[in-house]
Each structure stands twice: as C-alpha cells, then as structure tokens.
Amino acid sequence: MIKNALLSLKKNIGKTILLFVIIVVITNLVIAGLSIQSATQKSMDQIRSSLGNDVTLSVDFRNMMKNREPGEAVSNETSLTTTMADSLKDLKYVESYNYQISTSADSDSISAVETESDNSNNQQDTNKPNDQPEQASNQGDFTISANTTMEYLDSFTNSNYTLTDGRLLTSDDANTNNCVIETNLASDNDLSVGDTFTIITTVNDETIIQELTIVGIYEIQSTNEIGGAHFNNPVNTIYTDLSVGQTLTGSSKNITSAIYYLDDPENAEAFVKLAKKQSDIDFDTFSLDANNRLYQQNASSLESMQSFAKMFVWIVVIAGSAILCLILALTIRNRYYEIGVLLSLGQSKVKIIAQQLIEIGLIAVVAFVISLGTGQLTSHYMGNMLESSSSLNVMQMDQKGDQPNDHQQKTNKQTKENFLGNMMQGPSNQELDVSITGENVVQLAGVTAAICIVSIAVPAAYVLRLTPRQILSRKEG
C-alpha cells in the first residue's frame, strides 16, 4: 500500500502540491491559535501570581452602603472579630495568617516627622500598601499598625521597606510592647534599638498611655505616600504587636482585617468559595478580597484573546476539513475506475481507504514538520496583531471617560506604575510569549491527524458504499 501511495502521489503531482499547500496553511494557523491560547493562559497565571497569595477579610462598607435604605445611616459599630477570623485560619489552602488593627496615636515623648502639605493631602490615598489599612476617624500624629506578625507584610516582602537594624516582629512578640519604627523617625528623635517611648490616645473619654520598646528600625526604599499629613506619612508608621492595637482601641476582640496567606495564588477563588461554604460569617457585611477585581481588570484583554484563539482554531479545523473533503471527493471521483477495478479484483475496501490515508498522511507529515518552524513566525505575527488591537481598545475606553483632574491623574499614574512595576519584575521583555511548547506540538499532531481522517473518511464512505459495478458505470460521470 505504501508503494502504491507513493506512486499515486508522484503520478498526481498537481493534486499532491495543492494538498500540501492547504495542509501547511491549516497547520500553521492551528499552531498559531494553540500557542496563543497557551501564552495567554501563562500570562493570566503570572498576573494572578503577581497579585500575591493573600486573601483579606474585612468589613465590606461598599456592600453595606449598597444594601441600605435611602436616607438610612450606615452603622459604624460593625466590627470584625478574632472569633470570625479564627473560623477561617485552619481551612484548606491556608499556610499562615496575620490579624491587623490600624489606629492612630499621639506622643509626648517623641515628635512626628514633619512634611509639607497641600490640598491633595486631604484626599483619600488610593495606593496604600496592604499592610496599612484604613485609619480611624480621629487621627493622631502616628499611624499604629498592629499585627500578629510582620513576616508577610507586603511592604517588606517586596523590598519597598528594608530592615536596617534589629528585627521585625513575629508571633513570638505576642502580648509584648515591642515595636518597629522608620529610620527617619528614629534619627529625628535620637532613638535606637532598645530605647523606649510612650504613645497616647483617648478611648471613650479615657486616656490610654502605652509604652513601647524599639526592637527594629526599617527604611523606606520606595513608596507613593510620602508627602501627606503626619498620620498618612509612612515614616510616622509604628508597627506593634496586635495586643498593643487592642489596648489602644479599647477592644480585645475587634480587629481591622485578617489576611490569609495561601499555599498557591491559584487557590484564591477556591479558598473564598470554601470559606463562604463552611463559615457562619455574614458576607453581606464582610468581604473576602482575593484581588479578583484587579485580576479581572488586567486579565480581561487576555481572556478575550484566549477566547478568540480558541474560536479561531475551531474555525480553521472545520473550514480546513471541509476544503480537504471537497478536494479529496473530487479526486476520488476521478479515480472511480481505479477503485472499481481494485474492488473487482478482490481488494478490500479497508485497504483502499488505508491507501488514501497513507497518501494524505505522507503529505501531512511533511507539512507538520515544516509548520513547526513557520508556525512560530505566524504565532508571533498574530500575537503582535492581537496585542496591538487589545492596546487600542484599552486606549479608546480610557478616552471615552471623563477627563480626571490633576490629582486623579497623578494618583492613577502612581497606582498603575506601582502595580505594573510589581507585576513585571523579571525579564525586561514582557511581550506575549507565543513560543511553541511540547503540549502545542502534541495538540497539533492530534488535530492534523483528525483532519486527515475526517477528510478521507467522508468522501471515501460515499464512494465505497457503492458496488464495483455501480462505480465502473459512473466512470464517465
């Protein structure tokens, strides 16, 4: 059969070249679509990873505002408790956790670092790190960030803040008055590791004085917050144990937020679903933020690209199969006499179909090998075209909105630069990686084989259902 297939290909050289060109085009387009699918999935996984493996439980004031009746006041007594937070810390996917209390205080023994202020300082800071939650309404000169541990705080893990002396707080500092302060605050007040100072706040008309002992000093390497009022300036942030925050807020149960660090960023959505299923927390009042909004904003164009690539592959496969079926049907029609004679001589229909498969299979193998090289070029071309289209759509969407004021433009720019800077750490070339993978090769082989089988089986089934006599009688047709 192989010998007959080779002779047939050589004899019908025109048909062979036509089939070869068509299969090369099909395989190139298929491999391009498959590689773009793989590349977009890889990019979405990278975005998910760049957003971190943390999920934050906190009061959902936005949802409370949405669910209130018109004119109804929003309760300011809704608080997250340690009991609620504890119900999630032992769930699947959770590797560690950190409870936070954010408040403010003044001091008679040290002075806050002075900063120039302007009208924009009264604006809400939209780019505050995850380890510095929203402040209380009565602001003091110092921000108090009380934590179960400082080991996983974003500002320190991403090297925006670096430890210059001493150590960070850990769970071993529970129920102590140890603290970590910024180097400028330390130098302005002539403080060093081992020194003590006091902070003051008022809770329910009662003055609370808390003594703190410095165990670590950190330096800010990068931030977008410097320049605000005292309590918004990160150099005036004092990190303490959670118990200190509870003392300053007058509550041993309430916390500002709970952050759960998962074993894998990909499990964020699964953890949120599990938490909602197994806990008694009212998620109309409280929210589990897995950075899904940021993920959707940054991955939406990639998802559209992936959907397009998947639809494109299906269109190519269906259209390619239809074209090959038509060509092979016409080819088999011209070989009625040959098929009729072979059947008359006792050749089985299976062998005749097998010879047809071998013929197109030999062509497909050569086309497949060539497409592994040329498909890379096609993938890059299509990838660049889709990226350009996606970027244009984003620009057009931005232009449709109202023009922000100067402060909004500055804040938006800082937010984008901060997020993209963290997300794009690593290789400088951040283009869509459409290189062909081993999985793509296997998928292409399967698709090519399926196209060949379908394109042979359909016309062959039509012809071979006839008897040799019927086939020979149609020779002239």
Side-chain angles (χ1 to χ4, degrees), residues 172-442:
D172 294 333
D173 292 289
N175 300 314
T176 68
N177 65 342
N178 295 336
C179 72
V180 177
I181 65 174
E182 207 274 335
T183 182
N184 290 285
L185 180 62
S187 61
D188 280 12
N189 292 277
D190 196 23
L191 297 173
S192 59
V193 172
D195 291 344
T196 62
F197 62 93
T198 58
I199 53 176
I200 304 172
T201 190
T202 301
V203 178
N204 298 326
D205 297 326
E206 179 184 352
T207 300
I208 298 176
I209 301 176
Q210 174 71 48
E211 183 179 72
L212 299 178
T213 300
I214 302 171
V215 297
I217 297 176
Y218 67 94
E219 182 178 9
I220 297 176
Q221 303 294 331
S222 174
T223 183
N224 291 324
E225 298 173 61
I226 292 179
H230 295 333
F231 55 82
N232 275 334
N233 193 337
V235 300
N236 292 320
T237 297
I238 301 173
Y239 291 92
T240 70
D241 174 61
L242 191 71
S243 60
V244 174
Q246 292 173 332
T247 299
L248 296 177
T249 56
S251 173
S252 60
K253 297 180 179 180
N254 295 343
I255 58 177
T256 303
S257 62
I259 303 177
Y260 303 94
Y261 300 94
L262 310 183
D263 52 2
D264 191 321
E266 295 298 317
N267 293 328
E269 292 187 13
F271 170 72
V272 172
K273 291 180 180 179
L274 183 64
K276 292 182 177 180
K277 180 180 179 181
Q278 296 192 6
S279 73
D280 296 328
I281 298 174
D282 179 11
F283 286 102
D284 287 332
T285 305
F286 302 93
S287 66
L288 271 175
D289 181 15
N291 292 319
N292 285 335
R293 185 169 60 87
L294 277 176
Y295 176 78
Q296 292 299 330
Q297 287 176 348
N298 290 275
S300 58
S301 61
L302 290 173
E303 289 177 339
S304 299
M305 195 182 300
Q306 187 180 48
S307 299
F308 171 80
K310 186 180 296 184
M311 181 178 65
F312 178 78
V313 169
W314 276 108
I315 291 174
V316 170
V317 169
I318 294 172
S321 299
I323 292 171
L324 287 178
C325 282
L326 179 60
I327 294 174
L328 291 172
L330 295 175
T331 301
I332 290 177
R333 183 182 179 86
N334 293 329
R335 298 174 66 178
Y336 274 1
Y337 182 75
E338 175 187 346
I339 294 173
V341 169
L342 291 174
L343 289 173
S344 299
L345 295 175
Q347 184 80 277
S348 69
K349 294 182 179 180
V350 174
K351 287 187 176 182
I352 293 175
I353 296 176
Q355 180 179 329
Q356 303 294 321
L357 280 174
I358 291 173
E359 290 179 15
I360 195 170
L362 292 173
I363 299 173
V365 168
V366 178
F368 173 81
V369 173
I370 292 176
S371 67
L372 294 180
T374 58
Q376 186 73 64
L377 299 175
T378 307
S379 299
H380 278 293
Y381 175 78
M382 288 186 60
N384 292 335
M385 181 177 64
L386 290 173
E387 282 185 314
S388 299
S389 176
S390 176
S391 300
L392 180 61
N393 289 337
V394 171
M395 291 175 62
Q396 290 175 343
M397 289 175 63
D398 289 341
Q399 292 171 356
K400 288 180 181 179
D402 295 333
Q403 291 295 325
N405 56 39
D406 292 340
H407 174 73
Q408 289 174 323
Q409 289 177 340
K410 181 179 179 181
T411 301
N412 292 340
K413 181 180 179 182
Q414 289 175 337
T415 302
K416 291 177 181 178
E417 287 177 350
N418 182 67
F419 174 75
L420 292 175
N422 291 334
M423 186 181 74
M424 295 303 182
Q425 286 178 353
S428 58
N429 183 8
Q430 294 298 333
E431 293 181 357
L432 194 66
D433 182 11
V434 292
S435 57
I436 298 174
T437 65
E439 183 181 3
N440 296 147
V441 174
V442 173

